[in-house]
Amino acid sequence: MDKNFTRAIKRKTMVLSLLSMLLALNSWSVIAQELRVSGTVIDQDQGTPLPGVTVLTKGSTVGTTTDVDGKYSIALADENSVLVFSFIGFKTSEIQVAGRSVIDVSMALDITALEEVVVIGYGEQRRSDLTGAISSVKSEDIKNLPAATVADAIQGRVAGVFVTASDGAPGSQPNINIRGPGNLTGVQPLYVVDGMPFFGTGFNFNIQDIESMEVIKDASAAAIYGAQASGGVILITTKKGSRSQKIQAGLNVNYGVRNVFNLPDLLDRDQYIRAQVASGVPQATFDADTIGANTDWFDEVYDPAIEQNYTAYLSGGSQVSNFYASFNYQNVEGTRVGNSINRYTLRFNSDHKLSNWLTVGQTIYGGFIEEDPASPPNQGELSFRNSPLVPVRDATNPLGGWGRDNGSQRGNVIGEEWANVREDETYTLNTSAYLEVEIVDGLKLRSNFGANLQNYNRYFFDRAFDFGLVQRVNETFGRRFTTNRQLLMNYLLTYNKTFGDHTISALAGYEARRDKFSSIEGDFQNPLGDLVQDSRLSANAVPNSLQFTGRDNFRILSQFGRLSYSFAGKYLAQVNIRRDGVASVFGPGNKYGTFPSMSLGWRISDEDFINIPAVSNLKLRFSLGELGNFQGVGEFLFEESYQEGFVTDFGGGLNQGFGLSDQLPNRDIRWETIRTTNIGLDIGLFEEKLSLSIDAYKRTTSDVIYQVPLPATAGLGDEVQLNIGELENMGLEFFAEYRDNIGEVQFSVGVNGAFNQNELVTLDPSIEDQQIFGGRINEVYSNAQPLRSVPGEPLGQFYGYIVDGVYQTDQPTGPTVNGDTPLAGDLIYRDLNDDGIINDEDRDFIGNPWPKLTYGITLNAAWKGFDLRMFFNGVQGVDIYNGTRSFEHMLFNDYNTTAEIFRTSGFDGNEVTNLPRPTLRNWGQVSDFHVQDGSFLRLKNLQIGYQIPRSVLDNVKISSARVFVMADNLFTITAYEGIDPEIPMSGEPTDDGPLVRDRGIDKSTFRYPLSRLFSLGLNIEF
């Protein structure tokens, strides 16, 4: 059972415990104290002290309560007395004293008494009453994780939530997808923090402030958020302290070192010269007397990096108020040279019950980020385009002193990092306040106001440099300022009442949201010094360029409601409805959308005919609902727009002309509609030692929007967005957890997994001849697009040639590829139409980048103060297009490569091998030779901790202390031959992130490599 919920129960009983203590003190005055018994009461499952436990002498009012450390002391008149230990949520224990003076007690959870409360949209609900597909993640599950974002923290912990790291750069935001693709571009989940939508929860959010997270996956639960919830909802509740809690302070410290792993080994100087000569470059080109460098560029670029994270917090409360305050500092150095990120955050949350009918509260979160981002060369973070014959430094170079390559345009990757100075600052303020009035018993009116403010400031300075053929003579500096503002206000009227066996809960709400964005950027050339930050210190009187943009037209106006009904806690029903209006996206006839849902639940275990002692919970759930979507849809597509025209001069000077854009408007563009049906089963066995949950769902997106290309004969723009088809996702999710103890060893095992299959069902008949291609690999493949989406298939399937092996001899009559006759060592491409020519007509589907199964495994154990936590995540049944192999097996243009080139057919005297000749015919064509199984199992996080004994801590006035060692990304089990099998979406980015249909392409050269962390940590409470 969840430790956080146990803690909540303890807090709620503090007042009763204090009253019991007063009664006990009054009774002690009349007792003849012949015997004093003391001891400690702990949670049997967690091994933690239980404060507030009532200890009474059976048959009397003599008693006491345990203190914050779980300790108690009681005076007895009879050594044969029986002590009764009771605490809400735990089984009552009766123990015969039998003359003992020390009695320690372990109390077991009473599952039947627990009714965990979880957060749902605009309210709370007992978990036993849930009818939708909602998964929870508690603060203890993510405590001390080196997770930079919320998405990192829930990776692999929630069935149906597919999270992949975008890259290993400090502060990077992962890709997140809930229950498969929602449309052709991708829909992101809505983040709601303490009831207010958030500007995303990237690196500017401290996950150590989180009390709990709920992930809403089906439309029945998400419909209360309407169109904003099409990608799912992640509800985040931050810590607030509790009433009747004594002030508690704490400190969490984590310090570690990161290292990149599994990087390819580039050819050194001698290998490089050998490979070049074998490729036909004359040996005389390489003069051993003048070539003194032997540079390992990856070794120069990547180094071990320090990561440190410190959080200090204070919480407490009284009968009137409660509060939580925290400060966090996190520093992450990049494993790539010349980049790092620092984050400072402050949070203050509080609630105040001013009277029996009036409660107010607020949350304030402020964050500041300063970042030195990486400045990779054009070839990406992991560039093969560096020669080992070029030194990093050259003292004779007057512009920077960098090593020069006069034979190509490769540049100097270290020099480029130095020459491109970037200093980014981000200021964030998120605040909300509420006022709640209880009008009559059960009827409440709540008003909420929230503001999300974010300012971004970039300073850049581009130094002059000389890298040989690549040079920059003019220096440039400038700034960019961006401001985001989001305001939200809602009013909620709620009614909760129980009439006998009938419980009714109703909600009615009104909400308005407004977003505003503005940006200004300018730059100057020829500064009068290095790293100049004042435009007046430029040789140019006017800026080289100046532009500003802004937007203040995005608004959402919503009305919503919910009705929940429960009969005897067995028969459950809920109805949600929301109406959203987004005027800037859809035209006057389509700007409003209405999104209903309903769900039913049946607690079968409460029926009289279920008389199985092992079954403690059995609930069947069914739901269906509808959502809308506007993510990925441009604004004002329904009307004509203006664009810059010709510059004219009619005698009064030059004037910029404007005219109607050639973009064809679509006045009929309408909401994408997402319909979901879900059936679920929750099972609890052996007093909830074993808990199971299974969900099956079908989600259909109709009126899918796509940017359809227009023929040139249309004379109006290149493309137009249309509602063109239908997309379907079907899946099965499961979760299982077992908790128990063997002697003094407590342990738990949790497993979650999700099967998902998506299909592009139909396309509008008018565009069925349109071929939806996507994706890019790298420059070896030129502009090839390896992904294709067609009706009847999943989105973005790999599409290319099928390979039937390697030719063992020259084939003068074999099928030609781009006019080339196959030679020994070339790949055998299947001629699907038997016309003797390999061309686009011979392509077919060659792989699926969508995994059949995603899963996570959690293992926890504790023994005598020691604890072990292991978390695995993985995917099964997924294909990856290994685009990096081409760089590793051939000398493309002026690039370096690896020793794998010496294993290829026909190279440097080789016979035919299992690797084709190092030519573009083999390594630059999209084929299934480069498609590999990307299944993997990764030990994502390992923690080993020790709880320092209280006997030691009492001397230093510390309540508790835990020290631990931790490793992140410790090892990966996979058959994949690339650098890392965790491949993110890789398509061209949109305003809402990368295209969801462009995934599974390993472009490691353009990706900051992931790293492995080893760290030490300390958790202290005072």
Side-chain angles (χ1 to χ4, degrees), residues 47 144 197 215 285 374 380 478 584 621-622 641 669 696 787 828 868 952:
N144 300 315
V215 181
T285 304
S584 62
R621 296 177 281 107
F622 172 79
S641 58
I669 193 166
L787 300 170
I828 304 173
L868 171 69
V952 176

Side-chain angles (χ1 to χ4, degrees), residues 182-187 226-227 230 585-586 590 593 595 626-633 669-675 700-707 721-725 727:
N183 62 7
L184 297 184
T185 55
V187 288
S230 55
V585 177
F586 305 104
N590 297 314
F595 314 109
E626 186 175 290
L627 298 169
N629 178 58
F630 59 84
Q631 290 189 45
V633 184
I669 193 166
R670 57 191 179 275
W671 298 85
E672 292 180 328
T673 302
I674 300 174
R675 297 181 178 90
T700 303
T701 306
S702 57
D703 292 327
V704 170
I705 296 174
Y706 176 63
Q707 198 105 341
Q721 285 195 322
L722 299 175
N723 299 94
I724 55 97
L727 175 68

Side-chain angles (χ1 to χ4, degrees), residues 53-67:
V53 176
T54 300
V55 186
L56 291 173
T57 304
K58 188 173 183 179
S60 74
T61 59
V62 176
T64 185
T65 58
T66 58
D67 62 16

Side-chain angles (χ1 to χ4, degrees), residues 158 317 442 449 503 774 787 882:
V158 178
F449 174 78
T503 299
L787 300 170
N882 190 344

Side-chain angles (χ1 to χ4, degrees), residues 547 641-647 656-662:
Q547 61 181 358
S641 58
Y642 289 85
Q643 66 181 14
E644 292 181 355
F646 295 106
V647 177
Q656 175 68 59
F658 291 88
L660 285 174
S661 168
D662 61 357

Side-chain angles (χ1 to χ4, degrees), residues 478-733:
R479 286 189 178 275
R480 180 183 182 186
F481 297 94
T482 301
T483 299
N484 284 288
R485 184 183 71 187
Q486 182 185 86
L487 303 178
L488 183 137
M489 180 178 64
N490 61 43
Y491 298 94
L492 308 175
L493 185 65
T494 60
Y495 180 70
N496 296 280
K497 202 68 175 178
T498 298
F499 308 93
D501 288 336
H502 307 274
T503 299
I504 296 176
S505 176
L507 165 71
Y510 177 89
E511 185 171 273
R513 171 184 161 187
R514 175 181 178 182
D515 295 357
K516 185 175 182 178
F517 165 85
S518 64
S519 175
I520 184 169
E521 180 176 359
D523 65 82
F524 293 78
Q525 285 190 344
N526 301 320
L528 302 179
D530 192 33
L531 297 179
V532 169
Q533 301 194 37
D534 192 323
S535 63
R536 293 170 295 182
L537 297 177
S538 170
N540 300 82
V542 295
N544 181 55
S545 67
L546 179 66
Q547 61 181 358
F548 62 90
T549 59
R551 187 186 71 176
D552 187 21
N553 48 44
F554 186 79
R555 296 173 175 85
I556 301 178
L557 187 65
S558 311
Q559 304 85 40
F560 50 90
R562 177 172 57 224
L563 179 63
S564 302
Y565 171 76
S566 171
F567 177 75
K570 293 188 294 185
Y571 311 111
L572 313 167
Q574 187 176 100
V575 177
N576 290 280
I577 190 167
R578 182 172 178 126
R579 180 175 181 261
D580 282 329
V582 185
S584 62
V585 177
F586 305 104
N590 297 314
K591 67 179 179 180
Y592 285 101
T594 301
F595 314 109
S597 74
M598 61 83 63
S599 56
L600 301 172
W602 179 23
R603 287 182 58 88
I604 306 173
S605 54
D606 287 356
E607 297 288 359
D608 294 337
F609 62 81
I610 297 294
N611 189 20
I612 305 175
V615 178
S616 51
N617 178 45
L618 181 61
K619 181 172 66 174
L620 182 66
R621 296 177 281 107
F622 172 79
S623 66
L624 56 88
E626 186 175 290
L627 298 169
N629 178 58
F630 59 84
Q631 290 189 45
V633 184
E635 293 188 283
F636 299 107
L637 298 176
F638 53 87
E639 63 183 14
E640 292 84 357
S641 58
Y642 289 85
Q643 66 181 14
E644 292 181 355
F646 295 106
V647 177
T648 60
D649 185 356
F650 294 104
L654 297 178
N655 293 279
Q656 175 68 59
F658 291 88
L660 285 174
S661 168
D662 61 357
Q663 175 69 46
L664 180 67
N666 178 6
R667 293 179 175 83
D668 296 324
I669 193 166
R670 57 191 179 275
W671 298 85
E672 292 180 328
T673 302
I674 300 174
R675 297 181 178 90
T676 300
T677 302
N678 191 101
I679 185 167
L681 185 66
D682 300 325
I683 306 172
L685 301 174
F686 314 117
E687 295 183 332
E688 298 297 298
K689 288 183 178 180
L690 176 62
S691 56
L692 306 166
S693 182
I694 303 173
D695 281 271
Y697 64 88
K698 178 180 179 181
R699 184 175 70 173
T700 303
T701 306
S702 57
D703 292 327
V704 170
I705 296 174
Y706 176 63
Q707 198 105 341
V708 179
L710 293 176
T713 55
L716 288 171
D718 298 325
E719 51 194 13
V720 62
Q721 285 195 322
L722 299 175
N723 299 94
I724 55 97
E726 184 175 288
L727 175 68
E728 183 177 275
N729 283 271
M730 297 183 66
L732 178 71
E733 300 168 353

Side-chain angles (χ1 to χ4, degrees), residues 951-1005:
S951 58
V952 176
L953 300 177
D954 285 343
N955 297 326
V956 290
K957 307 301 181 183
I958 295 176
S959 298
S960 67
R962 175 179 177 261
V963 294
F964 62 92
V965 294
M966 179 171 61
D968 204 52
N969 292 330
L970 190 57
F971 67 79
T972 303
I973 301 173
T974 183
Y976 181 60
E977 297 176 7
I979 295 174
D980 184 9
E982 188 176 341
I983 305 297
M985 292 183 289
S986 55
E988 295 298 322
T990 66
D991 290 341
D992 296 297
L995 293 174
V996 72
R997 67 178 184 272
D998 290 358
R999 66 176 309 114
I1001 304 173
D1002 185 354
K1003 300 191 294 186
S1004 291
T1005 53

Side-chain angles (χ1 to χ4, degrees), residues 744-923:
E744 296 184 65
V745 178
Q746 292 107 32
F747 68 91
S748 67
V749 180
V751 179
N752 75 80
F755 299 90
N756 177 274
Q757 181 175 350
N758 74 80
E759 179 186 341
L760 181 58
V761 180
T762 61
L763 287 177
D764 189 287
S766 65
I767 65 161
E768 281 190 346
D769 59 340
Q770 297 279 354
Q771 296 186 354
I772 303 178
F773 283 97
R776 292 286 190 274
I777 306 176
N778 52 48
E779 51 266 53
V780 173
Y781 288 83
S782 187
N783 292 318
Q785 294 181 288
L787 300 170
R788 187 182 181 190
S789 301
V790 299
E793 296 286 343
L795 286 185
Q797 299 290 283
F798 298 130
Y799 191 71
Y801 299 133
I802 298 173
V803 172
D804 291 326
V806 178
Y807 286 115
Q808 299 300 304
T809 60
D810 293 348
Q811 302 290 316
T813 61
T816 61
V817 180
N818 297 323
D820 292 336
T821 300
L823 301 177
D826 283 337
L827 293 175
I828 304 173
Y829 295 128
R830 187 179 300 176
D831 188 1
L832 294 181
N833 58 5
D834 293 323
D835 63 354
I837 299 174
I838 302 298
N839 56 22
D840 289 351
E841 301 302 318
D842 297 299
R843 294 180 297 170
D844 202 353
F845 293 105
I846 56 176
N848 186 353
W850 293 95
K852 293 182 175 63
L853 169 67
T854 60
Y855 62 95
I857 303 172
T858 304
L859 304 173
N860 295 326
W863 174 76
K864 291 187 176 180
F866 292 95
D867 61 81
L868 171 69
R869 303 177 185 181
M870 302 176 70
F871 172 64
F872 298 84
N873 75 298
V875 300
Q876 191 68 32
V878 63
D879 294 321
I880 295 176
Y881 195 95
N882 190 344
T884 307
R885 293 184 80 201
S886 300
F887 288 119
E888 296 175 338
H889 290 83
M890 65 178 295
L891 287 167
F892 173 72
N893 291 346
D894 54 3
Y895 289 49
N896 198 352
T897 186
T898 71
E900 288 295 300
I901 193 173
F902 296 113
R903 298 179 54 240
T904 59
S905 298
F907 187 78
D908 198 25
N910 285 347
E911 299 293 333
V912 175
T913 70
N914 64 328
L915 295 174
R917 293 190 306 125
T919 65
L920 288 177
R921 181 197 187 279
N922 301 305
W923 297 95

